[in-house]
Amino acid sequence: MFSKKCKAHLEDKGETGLEHMAIALKTAVRLQLLVPALLIHSVAPRCFTNTTTDVLKDILDSRK
């Protein structure tokens, strides 16, 4: 079902296909939820001053 490249990627990450999909979807949702905060921040810089940075750092740290 998966190509050799897909299987190699999953092995490299140490995840099953479903685990990988769940992590990718969770990350996508978290990134989408940042969009309103970024839009508000663009016109009112005092709002959500560290939100995007904090969430991005958390996403990257959780993948280590």
Side-chain angles (χ1 to χ4, degrees):
M1 182 170 175
F2 289 119
S3 69
K4 289 179 184 178
K5 283 187 177 184
C6 286
K7 288 179 184 177
H9 177 65
L10 292 173
E11 287 176 15
D12 181 52
K13 296 296 178 184
E15 300 165 350
T16 67
L18 287 176
E19 289 171 333
H20 193 71
M21 181 178 68
I23 292 167
L25 289 172
K26 180 181 174 184
T27 302
V29 168
R30 291 182 75 188
L31 291 172
Q32 285 298 316
L33 291 172
L34 284 176
V35 172
L38 283 166
L39 291 172
I40 293 167
H41 178 73
S42 71
V43 295
R46 69 183 182 279
C47 299
F48 303 106
T49 55
N50 296 312
T51 304
T52 300
T53 302
D54 293 346
V55 171
L56 290 175
K57 284 180 181 177
D58 185 57
I59 289 171
L60 293 172
D61 288 345
S62 70
R63 296 302 293 152
K64 289 182 181 178

Short mmCIF file of all heavy atoms in Angstrom, two decimals:
data_model
loop_
_atom_site.label_atom_id
_atom_site.label_comp_id
_atom_site.label_asym_id
_atom_site.label_seq_id
_atom_site.Cartn_x
_atom_site.Cartn_y
_atom_site.Cartn_z
N MET A 1 0.82 -1.19 0.00
CA MET A 1 0.00 0.00 0.00
C MET A 1 0.87 1.26 0.00
O MET A 1 0.61 2.19 -0.73
CB MET A 1 -0.92 -0.01 1.22
CG MET A 1 -1.84 1.16 1.26
SD MET A 1 -3.05 0.90 2.56
CE MET A 1 -3.87 2.43 2.50
N PHE A 2 1.92 1.30 0.83
CA PHE A 2 2.82 2.45 0.86
C PHE A 2 3.99 2.19 -0.07
O PHE A 2 4.47 1.07 -0.20
CB PHE A 2 3.37 2.69 2.27
CG PHE A 2 2.36 3.21 3.26
CD1 PHE A 2 2.03 2.49 4.39
CD2 PHE A 2 1.75 4.43 3.05
CE1 PHE A 2 1.11 2.98 5.30
CE2 PHE A 2 0.82 4.93 3.95
CZ PHE A 2 0.50 4.19 5.08
N SER A 3 4.49 3.26 -0.69
CA SER A 3 5.67 3.14 -1.53
C SER A 3 6.89 2.90 -0.64
O SER A 3 6.83 3.05 0.59
CB SER A 3 5.87 4.42 -2.34
OG SER A 3 6.24 5.49 -1.49
N LYS A 4 8.00 2.55 -1.26
CA LYS A 4 9.24 2.33 -0.51
C LYS A 4 9.67 3.60 0.22
O LYS A 4 10.13 3.54 1.36
CB LYS A 4 10.36 1.86 -1.45
CG LYS A 4 10.16 0.46 -1.95
CD LYS A 4 11.27 0.04 -2.88
CE LYS A 4 11.00 -1.34 -3.43
NZ LYS A 4 12.04 -1.77 -4.37
N LYS A 5 9.49 4.75 -0.42
CA LYS A 5 9.86 6.01 0.21
C LYS A 5 8.97 6.29 1.43
O LYS A 5 9.46 6.77 2.45
CB LYS A 5 9.75 7.17 -0.78
CG LYS A 5 10.89 7.25 -1.75
CD LYS A 5 10.81 8.50 -2.60
CE LYS A 5 12.00 8.62 -3.51
NZ LYS A 5 11.98 9.88 -4.28
N CYS A 6 7.68 5.99 1.30
CA CYS A 6 6.78 6.19 2.44
C CYS A 6 7.16 5.28 3.60
O CYS A 6 7.21 5.72 4.75
CB CYS A 6 5.33 5.92 2.03
SG CYS A 6 4.60 7.20 1.00
N LYS A 7 7.41 4.02 3.29
CA LYS A 7 7.80 3.07 4.33
C LYS A 7 9.10 3.50 5.00
O LYS A 7 9.23 3.43 6.23
CB LYS A 7 7.94 1.67 3.75
CG LYS A 7 6.61 1.04 3.40
CD LYS A 7 6.81 -0.35 2.80
CE LYS A 7 5.49 -0.94 2.35
NZ LYS A 7 5.66 -2.23 1.70
N ALA A 8 10.05 3.97 4.22
CA ALA A 8 11.33 4.43 4.78
C ALA A 8 11.13 5.63 5.68
O ALA A 8 11.74 5.74 6.74
CB ALA A 8 12.31 4.76 3.65
N HIS A 9 10.25 6.53 5.27
CA HIS A 9 9.97 7.72 6.08
C HIS A 9 9.34 7.32 7.41
O HIS A 9 9.72 7.83 8.47
CB HIS A 9 9.05 8.68 5.31
CG HIS A 9 8.66 9.90 6.07
ND1 HIS A 9 9.57 10.87 6.46
CD2 HIS A 9 7.46 10.32 6.53
CE1 HIS A 9 8.93 11.83 7.12
NE2 HIS A 9 7.64 11.51 7.18
N LEU A 10 8.36 6.43 7.36
CA LEU A 10 7.71 5.98 8.59
C LEU A 10 8.69 5.26 9.51
O LEU A 10 8.67 5.46 10.73
CB LEU A 10 6.52 5.06 8.26
CG LEU A 10 5.34 5.75 7.57
CD1 LEU A 10 4.31 4.71 7.13
CD2 LEU A 10 4.71 6.80 8.45
N GLU A 11 9.56 4.44 8.94
CA GLU A 11 10.58 3.75 9.74
C GLU A 11 11.53 4.75 10.36
O GLU A 11 11.91 4.62 11.52
CB GLU A 11 11.34 2.74 8.87
CG GLU A 11 10.54 1.52 8.53
CD GLU A 11 11.28 0.57 7.59
OE1 GLU A 11 12.51 0.72 7.43
OE2 GLU A 11 10.62 -0.31 7.02
N ASP A 12 11.91 5.77 9.59
CA ASP A 12 12.81 6.80 10.09
C ASP A 12 12.19 7.54 11.28
O ASP A 12 12.88 7.88 12.24
CB ASP A 12 13.15 7.79 8.97
CG ASP A 12 14.11 8.87 9.40
OD1 ASP A 12 15.18 8.54 9.95
OD2 ASP A 12 13.79 10.06 9.18
N LYS A 13 10.89 7.77 11.22
CA LYS A 13 10.19 8.47 12.29
C LYS A 13 9.77 7.54 13.42
O LYS A 13 9.39 8.00 14.50
CB LYS A 13 8.92 9.16 11.74
CG LYS A 13 9.21 10.25 10.74
CD LYS A 13 9.99 11.37 11.39
CE LYS A 13 10.34 12.46 10.42
NZ LYS A 13 11.16 13.49 11.02
N GLY A 14 9.83 6.24 13.18
CA GLY A 14 9.45 5.27 14.21
C GLY A 14 7.96 5.29 14.49
O GLY A 14 7.53 5.15 15.64
N GLU A 15 7.16 5.47 13.44
CA GLU A 15 5.72 5.56 13.58
C GLU A 15 5.02 4.65 12.59
O GLU A 15 5.56 4.34 11.52
CB GLU A 15 5.25 7.01 13.31
CG GLU A 15 5.85 8.03 14.23
CD GLU A 15 5.67 9.46 13.74
OE1 GLU A 15 5.24 9.69 12.60
OE2 GLU A 15 5.99 10.36 14.53
N THR A 16 3.80 4.26 12.95
CA THR A 16 2.96 3.56 11.98
C THR A 16 2.32 4.60 11.09
O THR A 16 2.37 5.81 11.36
CB THR A 16 1.86 2.75 12.69
OG1 THR A 16 0.94 3.67 13.32
CG2 THR A 16 2.44 1.80 13.72
N GLY A 17 1.68 4.14 10.04
CA GLY A 17 0.99 5.07 9.14
C GLY A 17 -0.08 5.88 9.86
O GLY A 17 -0.20 7.09 9.66
N LEU A 18 -0.86 5.20 10.72
CA LEU A 18 -1.92 5.90 11.46
C LEU A 18 -1.35 6.88 12.48
O LEU A 18 -1.90 7.97 12.65
CB LEU A 18 -2.83 4.88 12.15
CG LEU A 18 -3.77 4.11 11.23
CD1 LEU A 18 -4.56 3.07 12.01
CD2 LEU A 18 -4.72 5.05 10.50
N GLU A 19 -0.29 6.50 13.16
CA GLU A 19 0.35 7.43 14.11
C GLU A 19 0.85 8.66 13.39
O GLU A 19 0.66 9.79 13.86
CB GLU A 19 1.51 6.74 14.83
CG GLU A 19 1.10 5.69 15.82
CD GLU A 19 2.28 4.89 16.36
OE1 GLU A 19 3.30 4.76 15.66
OE2 GLU A 19 2.16 4.38 17.47
N HIS A 20 1.49 8.45 12.26
CA HIS A 20 2.04 9.56 11.49
C HIS A 20 0.92 10.48 11.01
O HIS A 20 1.03 11.71 11.07
CB HIS A 20 2.85 9.03 10.31
CG HIS A 20 3.70 10.06 9.65
ND1 HIS A 20 4.82 10.58 10.23
CD2 HIS A 20 3.58 10.68 8.46
CE1 HIS A 20 5.37 11.47 9.43
NE2 HIS A 20 4.62 11.56 8.34
N MET A 21 -0.17 9.88 10.54
CA MET A 21 -1.30 10.67 10.07
C MET A 21 -1.90 11.49 11.21
O MET A 21 -2.20 12.68 11.02
CB MET A 21 -2.38 9.75 9.48
CG MET A 21 -3.58 10.51 8.95
SD MET A 21 -4.84 9.47 8.20
CE MET A 21 -5.44 8.60 9.63
N ALA A 22 -2.04 10.89 12.38
CA ALA A 22 -2.62 11.61 13.53
C ALA A 22 -1.74 12.79 13.92
O ALA A 22 -2.25 13.89 14.19
CB ALA A 22 -2.80 10.66 14.70
N ILE A 23 -0.44 12.59 13.95
CA ILE A 23 0.49 13.66 14.32
C ILE A 23 0.44 14.78 13.28
O ILE A 23 0.40 15.96 13.61
CB ILE A 23 1.92 13.11 14.49
CG1 ILE A 23 1.99 12.21 15.72
CG2 ILE A 23 2.95 14.23 14.56
CD1 ILE A 23 3.25 11.36 15.81
N ALA A 24 0.42 14.40 12.00
CA ALA A 24 0.37 15.40 10.93
C ALA A 24 -0.93 16.20 10.98
O ALA A 24 -0.92 17.42 10.81
CB ALA A 24 0.53 14.72 9.56
N LEU A 25 -2.04 15.52 11.21
CA LEU A 25 -3.33 16.22 11.29
C LEU A 25 -3.39 17.14 12.51
O LEU A 25 -3.90 18.26 12.42
CB LEU A 25 -4.48 15.22 11.33
CG LEU A 25 -4.73 14.48 10.01
CD1 LEU A 25 -5.77 13.38 10.21
CD2 LEU A 25 -5.16 15.44 8.92
N LYS A 26 -2.86 16.68 13.64
CA LYS A 26 -2.84 17.52 14.84
C LYS A 26 -2.01 18.78 14.58
O LYS A 26 -2.40 19.89 14.95
CB LYS A 26 -2.26 16.74 16.02
CG LYS A 26 -2.20 17.54 17.31
CD LYS A 26 -1.60 16.72 18.43
CE LYS A 26 -1.41 17.58 19.68
NZ LYS A 26 -0.76 16.87 20.77
N THR A 27 -0.88 18.61 13.93
CA THR A 27 -0.02 19.75 13.61
C THR A 27 -0.73 20.70 12.66
O THR A 27 -0.69 21.92 12.85
CB THR A 27 1.31 19.27 13.00
OG1 THR A 27 1.96 18.40 13.93
CG2 THR A 27 2.23 20.43 12.65
N ALA A 28 -1.40 20.16 11.66
CA ALA A 28 -2.13 21.00 10.70
C ALA A 28 -3.22 21.82 11.40
O ALA A 28 -3.38 23.01 11.12
CB ALA A 28 -2.74 20.13 9.60
N VAL A 29 -3.94 21.20 12.32
CA VAL A 29 -5.00 21.91 13.04
C VAL A 29 -4.40 23.01 13.89
O VAL A 29 -4.90 24.15 13.91
CB VAL A 29 -5.83 20.93 13.89
CG1 VAL A 29 -6.73 21.66 14.87
CG2 VAL A 29 -6.65 20.01 12.99
N ARG A 30 -3.32 22.70 14.59
CA ARG A 30 -2.68 23.71 15.44
C ARG A 30 -2.21 24.90 14.60
O ARG A 30 -2.35 26.06 15.00
CB ARG A 30 -1.50 23.11 16.21
CG ARG A 30 -1.96 22.11 17.26
CD ARG A 30 -0.82 21.57 18.04
NE ARG A 30 -0.37 22.59 19.00
CZ ARG A 30 0.72 22.49 19.73
NH1 ARG A 30 1.48 21.42 19.64
NH2 ARG A 30 1.07 23.45 20.56
N LEU A 31 -1.65 24.63 13.43
CA LEU A 31 -1.19 25.72 12.56
C LEU A 31 -2.37 26.54 12.04
O LEU A 31 -2.29 27.78 11.98
CB LEU A 31 -0.36 25.16 11.41
CG LEU A 31 1.00 24.58 11.80
CD1 LEU A 31 1.63 23.89 10.60
CD2 LEU A 31 1.92 25.66 12.35
N GLN A 32 -3.46 25.88 11.68
CA GLN A 32 -4.63 26.60 11.21
C GLN A 32 -5.22 27.49 12.30
O GLN A 32 -5.72 28.57 12.01
CB GLN A 32 -5.69 25.63 10.69
CG GLN A 32 -5.36 25.03 9.35
CD GLN A 32 -5.25 26.07 8.25
OE1 GLN A 32 -6.08 26.97 8.14
NE2 GLN A 32 -4.21 25.97 7.44
N LEU A 33 -5.16 27.02 13.54
CA LEU A 33 -5.69 27.82 14.64
C LEU A 33 -4.84 29.06 14.92
O LEU A 33 -5.31 30.00 15.56
CB LEU A 33 -5.82 26.96 15.90
CG LEU A 33 -6.90 25.89 15.84
CD1 LEU A 33 -6.82 24.98 17.07
CD2 LEU A 33 -8.28 26.51 15.72
N LEU A 34 -3.62 29.06 14.44
CA LEU A 34 -2.75 30.23 14.60
C LEU A 34 -3.12 31.36 13.64
O LEU A 34 -2.82 32.52 13.91
CB LEU A 34 -1.29 29.86 14.37
CG LEU A 34 -0.59 29.12 15.47
CD1 LEU A 34 0.83 28.75 15.04
CD2 LEU A 34 -0.54 29.95 16.73
N VAL A 35 -3.76 31.03 12.54
CA VAL A 35 -4.06 32.04 11.52
C VAL A 35 -4.86 33.21 12.09
O VAL A 35 -4.49 34.37 11.87
CB VAL A 35 -4.74 31.40 10.29
CG1 VAL A 35 -5.23 32.45 9.32
CG2 VAL A 35 -3.77 30.44 9.61
N PRO A 36 -5.96 32.98 12.82
CA PRO A 36 -6.68 34.14 13.37
C PRO A 36 -5.81 34.98 14.31
O PRO A 36 -5.88 36.22 14.27
CB PRO A 36 -7.86 33.51 14.13
CG PRO A 36 -8.04 32.17 13.51
CD PRO A 36 -6.67 31.73 13.09
N ALA A 37 -5.00 34.32 15.12
CA ALA A 37 -4.12 35.07 16.03
C ALA A 37 -3.13 35.93 15.24
O ALA A 37 -2.87 37.08 15.60
CB ALA A 37 -3.38 34.12 16.96
N LEU A 38 -2.61 35.39 14.16
CA LEU A 38 -1.67 36.15 13.33
C LEU A 38 -2.36 37.32 12.63
O LEU A 38 -1.78 38.42 12.51
CB LEU A 38 -1.03 35.24 12.29
CG LEU A 38 0.07 34.33 12.81
CD1 LEU A 38 0.39 33.23 11.80
CD2 LEU A 38 1.30 35.12 13.15
N LEU A 39 -3.58 37.09 12.17
CA LEU A 39 -4.32 38.18 11.52
C LEU A 39 -4.60 39.31 12.50
O LEU A 39 -4.43 40.49 12.17
CB LEU A 39 -5.62 37.65 10.92
CG LEU A 39 -5.46 36.73 9.71
CD1 LEU A 39 -6.81 36.13 9.33
CD2 LEU A 39 -4.85 37.48 8.54
N ILE A 40 -5.03 38.96 13.70
CA ILE A 40 -5.28 39.97 14.73
C ILE A 40 -3.98 40.68 15.10
O ILE A 40 -3.93 41.90 15.20
CB ILE A 40 -5.94 39.33 15.96
CG1 ILE A 40 -7.36 38.86 15.60
CG2 ILE A 40 -5.98 40.31 17.14
CD1 ILE A 40 -8.00 37.96 16.63
N HIS A 41 -2.91 39.91 15.27
CA HIS A 41 -1.61 40.48 15.62
C HIS A 41 -1.12 41.46 14.54
O HIS A 41 -0.48 42.46 14.86
CB HIS A 41 -0.58 39.37 15.83
CG HIS A 41 0.78 39.86 16.16
ND1 HIS A 41 1.11 40.40 17.38
CD2 HIS A 41 1.91 39.93 15.41
CE1 HIS A 41 2.38 40.76 17.38
NE2 HIS A 41 2.89 40.49 16.19
N SER A 42 -1.45 41.18 13.29
CA SER A 42 -0.97 42.05 12.21
C SER A 42 -1.56 43.46 12.30
O SER A 42 -0.91 44.42 11.88
CB SER A 42 -1.28 41.44 10.84
OG SER A 42 -2.67 41.49 10.58
N VAL A 43 -2.77 43.59 12.83
CA VAL A 43 -3.38 44.91 12.95
C VAL A 43 -3.34 45.46 14.37
O VAL A 43 -3.52 46.66 14.58
CB VAL A 43 -4.84 44.92 12.43
CG1 VAL A 43 -4.88 44.63 10.94
CG2 VAL A 43 -5.71 43.94 13.19
N ALA A 44 -3.11 44.59 15.34
CA ALA A 44 -3.00 45.01 16.74
C ALA A 44 -1.82 44.26 17.37
O ALA A 44 -1.99 43.25 18.04
CB ALA A 44 -4.29 44.69 17.50
N PRO A 45 -0.60 44.75 17.11
CA PRO A 45 0.60 44.04 17.54
C PRO A 45 0.68 43.75 19.04
O PRO A 45 1.42 42.85 19.45
CB PRO A 45 1.73 44.97 17.11
CG PRO A 45 1.17 45.77 15.99
CD PRO A 45 -0.28 45.94 16.33
N ARG A 46 -0.10 44.45 19.85
CA ARG A 46 -0.05 44.19 21.29
C ARG A 46 -0.76 42.88 21.65
O ARG A 46 -0.56 42.35 22.74
CB ARG A 46 -0.70 45.35 22.05
CG ARG A 46 -2.19 45.45 21.86
CD ARG A 46 -2.78 46.66 22.57
NE ARG A 46 -4.21 46.71 22.40
CZ ARG A 46 -4.85 47.17 21.34
NH1 ARG A 46 -4.14 47.63 20.32
NH2 ARG A 46 -6.16 47.19 21.28
N CYS A 47 -1.57 42.35 20.74
CA CYS A 47 -2.30 41.10 20.98
C CYS A 47 -1.50 39.91 20.44
O CYS A 47 -0.89 39.99 19.38
CB CYS A 47 -3.66 41.14 20.28
SG CYS A 47 -4.73 42.47 20.83
N PHE A 48 -1.55 38.83 21.16
CA PHE A 48 -0.92 37.57 20.74
C PHE A 48 0.57 37.76 20.42
O PHE A 48 1.08 37.26 19.43
CB PHE A 48 -1.64 36.97 19.52
CG PHE A 48 -3.10 36.73 19.75
CD1 PHE A 48 -4.06 37.54 19.17
CD2 PHE A 48 -3.52 35.68 20.54
CE1 PHE A 48 -5.41 37.31 19.38
CE2 PHE A 48 -4.88 35.44 20.76
CZ PHE A 48 -5.82 36.26 20.18
N THR A 49 1.27 38.46 21.29
CA THR A 49 2.67 38.82 21.01
C THR A 49 3.60 37.61 20.93
O THR A 49 4.57 37.64 20.17
CB THR A 49 3.21 39.80 22.06
OG1 THR A 49 3.03 39.23 23.35
CG2 THR A 49 2.49 41.14 21.97
N ASN A 50 3.34 36.57 21.70
CA ASN A 50 4.23 35.40 21.69
C ASN A 50 3.54 34.12 21.27
O ASN A 50 4.16 33.06 21.26
CB ASN A 50 4.84 35.20 23.08
CG ASN A 50 5.72 36.35 23.48
OD1 ASN A 50 6.56 36.78 22.71
ND2 ASN A 50 5.51 36.88 24.67
N THR A 51 2.28 34.19 20.93
CA THR A 51 1.49 33.00 20.66
C THR A 51 2.09 32.13 19.55
O THR A 51 2.31 30.93 19.74
CB THR A 51 0.04 33.37 20.30
OG1 THR A 51 -0.49 34.17 21.36
CG2 THR A 51 -0.81 32.15 20.08
N THR A 52 2.34 32.73 18.41
CA THR A 52 2.84 31.95 17.27
C THR A 52 4.20 31.35 17.58
O THR A 52 4.43 30.15 17.33
CB THR A 52 2.92 32.83 16.01
OG1 THR A 52 1.60 33.32 15.72
CG2 THR A 52 3.43 32.03 14.83
N THR A 53 5.09 32.13 18.13
CA THR A 53 6.42 31.62 18.46
C THR A 53 6.33 30.47 19.45
O THR A 53 6.99 29.44 19.26
CB THR A 53 7.28 32.75 19.06
OG1 THR A 53 7.37 33.81 18.11
CG2 THR A 53 8.68 32.26 19.39
N ASP A 54 5.52 30.62 20.47
CA ASP A 54 5.38 29.57 21.47
C ASP A 54 4.81 28.28 20.88
O ASP A 54 5.30 27.18 21.17
CB ASP A 54 4.50 30.04 22.63
CG ASP A 54 5.13 31.15 23.44
OD1 ASP A 54 6.35 31.38 23.31
OD2 ASP A 54 4.40 31.80 24.21
N VAL A 55 3.79 28.40 20.06
CA VAL A 55 3.17 27.21 19.46
C VAL A 55 4.15 26.54 18.49
O VAL A 55 4.28 25.30 18.49
CB VAL A 55 1.84 27.55 18.77
CG1 VAL A 55 1.31 26.36 17.98
CG2 VAL A 55 0.81 28.00 19.80
N LEU A 56 4.83 27.31 17.67
CA LEU A 56 5.78 26.72 16.73
C LEU A 56 6.92 26.01 17.47
O LEU A 56 7.33 24.91 17.07
CB LEU A 56 6.33 27.79 15.79
CG LEU A 56 5.34 28.34 14.77
CD1 LEU A 56 5.97 29.48 13.98
CD2 LEU A 56 4.83 27.26 13.85
N LYS A 57 7.43 26.63 18.52
CA LYS A 57 8.47 25.98 19.31
C LYS A 57 7.96 24.68 19.90
O LYS A 57 8.66 23.66 19.91
CB LYS A 57 8.97 26.90 20.42
CG LYS A 57 9.88 27.99 19.95
CD LYS A 57 10.33 28.86 21.12
CE LYS A 57 11.23 29.99 20.66
NZ LYS A 57 11.61 30.88 21.77
N ASP A 58 6.72 24.69 20.41
CA ASP A 58 6.12 23.49 20.99
C ASP A 58 5.98 22.39 19.94
O ASP A 58 6.27 21.22 20.21
CB ASP A 58 4.77 23.82 21.62
CG ASP A 58 4.18 22.63 22.34
OD1 ASP A 58 4.85 22.09 23.25
OD2 ASP A 58 3.06 22.22 21.98
N ILE A 59 5.54 22.75 18.75
CA ILE A 59 5.40 21.76 17.67
C ILE A 59 6.76 21.16 17.34
O ILE A 59 6.89 19.94 17.23
CB ILE A 59 4.76 22.41 16.42
CG1 ILE A 59 3.28 22.70 16.67
CG2 ILE A 59 4.93 21.50 15.19
CD1 ILE A 59 2.62 23.53 15.58
N LEU A 60 7.76 21.99 17.19
CA LEU A 60 9.10 21.49 16.85
C LEU A 60 9.69 20.66 17.98
O LEU A 60 10.30 19.61 17.73
CB LEU A 60 10.02 22.64 16.49
CG LEU A 60 9.68 23.37 15.20
CD1 LEU A 60 10.55 24.63 15.03
CD2 LEU A 60 9.84 22.46 14.01
N ASP A 61 9.50 21.09 19.22
CA ASP A 61 10.03 20.33 20.36
C ASP A 61 9.35 18.96 20.49
O ASP A 61 9.99 17.99 20.89
CB ASP A 61 9.87 21.11 21.67
CG ASP A 61 10.82 22.29 21.76
OD1 ASP A 61 11.79 22.34 20.98
OD2 ASP A 61 10.57 23.16 22.61
N SER A 62 8.08 18.90 20.16
CA SER A 62 7.35 17.63 20.30
C SER A 62 7.78 16.61 19.24
O SER A 62 7.52 15.42 19.40
CB SER A 62 5.84 17.86 20.22
OG SER A 62 5.46 18.23 18.91
N ARG A 63 8.46 17.04 18.19
CA ARG A 63 8.91 16.15 17.13
C ARG A 63 10.32 15.63 17.36
O ARG A 63 10.83 14.88 16.56
CB ARG A 63 8.84 16.86 15.78
CG ARG A 63 7.45 17.25 15.34
CD ARG A 63 6.51 16.10 15.23
NE ARG A 63 6.92 15.23 14.16
CZ ARG A 63 6.69 13.93 14.09
NH1 ARG A 63 6.05 13.34 15.06
NH2 ARG A 63 7.09 13.22 13.08
N LYS A 64 10.95 16.02 18.45
CA LYS A 64 12.33 15.57 18.72
C LYS A 64 12.31 14.21 19.36
O LYS A 64 11.45 13.78 20.01
CB LYS A 64 13.06 16.56 19.60
CG LYS A 64 13.37 17.83 18.89
CD LYS A 64 14.13 18.78 19.78
CE LYS A 64 14.40 20.07 19.04
NZ LYS A 64 15.09 21.03 19.85
#
